[in-house]
Amino acid sequence: MKRVFSGIQPTGSLHLGNYLGALKRFVAMQDDHECIYCIVDLHALTMPHDPAGLAGATREAAAGFLASGLDPERCVVFNQSRCPMHTRLGWMLACLTPLGWLNRMTQFKEKAGKKRDGASLGLYGYPVLQAADILGYRATHVPVGEDQKQHLELSRDIAGAFNRRFGVDFFPLPEPVIAGEATRVMSLRDGARKMSKSDESDYARINLTDDRDTIARKVRKARTDSEPGVTWDPEARPEASNLVAIYAALADTTRQAVVDEYASARFSDFKARLAELAVEKLGPVGEEMKRLAADPAYVDGVLADGARRAHAIAGPIQAEAEEIVGLLAP
Ligand code: AMP
Ligand code: TRP
């Protein structure tokens, strides 16, 4: 049986990269899979955060999940800190994970920066908690953007380490699902940088909460080169190619089809069409988020119900894992 799990951190506002790389994929999988989608608030503690804003950010992320089209009847939507399995299994897995594996993680190196010794144990262990998120539901498929590839490989290695150490076939090795035409959406200001929640320029990203005018303005102001036509060439034309990928993903078509369709168009006309398309697809998401922001009791209810369902799945798996390692008598 296939079981899907994925997570997004409640840090900063959800953006087009999260939408195309993750949320749109989450929605696509809910029809024919059992899906569990998590707002990973424990992961948000690994970087400096504002305690007064965290619960609100979790609620806003949940609104973003729902506004993107996740149906809380069909999938489990909850926040990580409400299900005790994550930290408990995280500890058990931490005790099996060699430091050498963690030392290879590029995201830790980027986030820790030059002051490696000042980085927290939590930031270092971030990918172990991520492995627990996935393995604690015995998930088989994990939709993510390209940047999570290395963490997913580590999750597979940790699952293998557990199974080998205890001579069991308990955790399935989770498969990353890195699919679609925009698995790595780049900044609208700099085609060499990933679109991210932490970019200081708001014009670098389209937030899911942006209104229609803002979305159109950001697309129109997106940096491009002086080549006149529409081509796909991420090496030579990173910014233009990023817009082609975004168009393809938003329109549910392929990059090649976009290039063919606009073969004789000027780039400025293509951009104007992209602005319209982005407004058409993302405008309603932002409007629904706004509506949900006015109904926090509903969103909290979805999260509470999701936490109950998540715990009902993870609790027995956790207990079995505790038996396997010897914490619980069989
Ligand atoms: P994060 O915002 O880091 O919690 O990421 C949540 C999900 O969105 C993960 O699956 C990421 O791989 C995905 N994601 C984040 N930024 C991008 C991006 N610029 N392009 C594609 N996917 C992304
Ligand atoms: N590390 C992921 C990110 O920043 C978020 C995440 C946490 C996650 N736990 C997960 C993604 C489990 C997939 C599965 O994007």
Side-chain angles (χ1 to χ4, degrees), residues 6-11 14-23 26 40 107 111 126 143-148 182-187 194-197:
S6 194
I8 296 188
Q9 297 186 70
T11 46
L14 293 171
H15 54 73
L16 182 63
N18 297 133
Y19 181 73
L20 296 178
L23 287 166
F26 296 2
V40 290
Q107 191 169 299
K111 287 191 178 173
Y126 177 116
V144 281
E146 171 85 33
D147 62 339
Q148 291 303 307
T183 55
R184 186 174 173 81
V185 177
M186 307 309 284
S187 154
K194 199 178 65 163
M195 183 178 288
S196 91
K197 291 167 179 156

Side-chain angles (χ1 to χ4, degrees), residues 112-193:
K114 290 200 186 76
K115 287 185 255 160
R116 194 80 55 92
D117 279 355
S120 71
L121 181 58
L123 185 65
Y124 196 54
Y126 177 116
V128 180
L129 181 61
Q130 179 163 353
D133 296 343
I134 300 166
L135 303 181
Y137 298 91
R138 302 178 84 193
T140 56
H141 291 78
V142 185
V144 281
E146 171 85 33
D147 62 339
Q148 291 303 307
K149 207 170 165 187
Q150 193 184 39
H151 283 164
L152 262 290
E153 273 159 20
L154 185 76
S155 292
R156 292 169 62 88
D157 288 343
I158 293 175
F162 183 98
N163 291 344
R164 269 193 314 281
R165 166 71 180 79
F166 300 107
V168 290
D169 186 15
F170 186 63
F171 290 126
L173 305 193
E175 295 278 346
V177 182
I178 301 174
E181 295 293 305
T183 55
R184 186 174 173 81
V185 177
M186 307 309 284
S187 154
L188 300 181
R189 307 303 307 162
D190 177 354
R193 285 167 62 157

Side-chain angles (χ1 to χ4, degrees), residues 24 32 34 44 50-51 70 75 86 92 103 105 117-118 135 137 142 159 188 213 236 246 256 258 274 296 298 307:
K24 206 166 139 68
D32 39 16
E34 180 188 6
D50 166 21
L70 288 181
C75 48
H86 299 257
M92 290 158 57
N103 288 337
M105 295 297 115
D117 279 355
L135 303 181
Y137 298 91
V142 185
L188 300 181
D213 286 348
I246 291 171
Q256 188 57 49
V258 175
L274 176 60
Y298 171 74

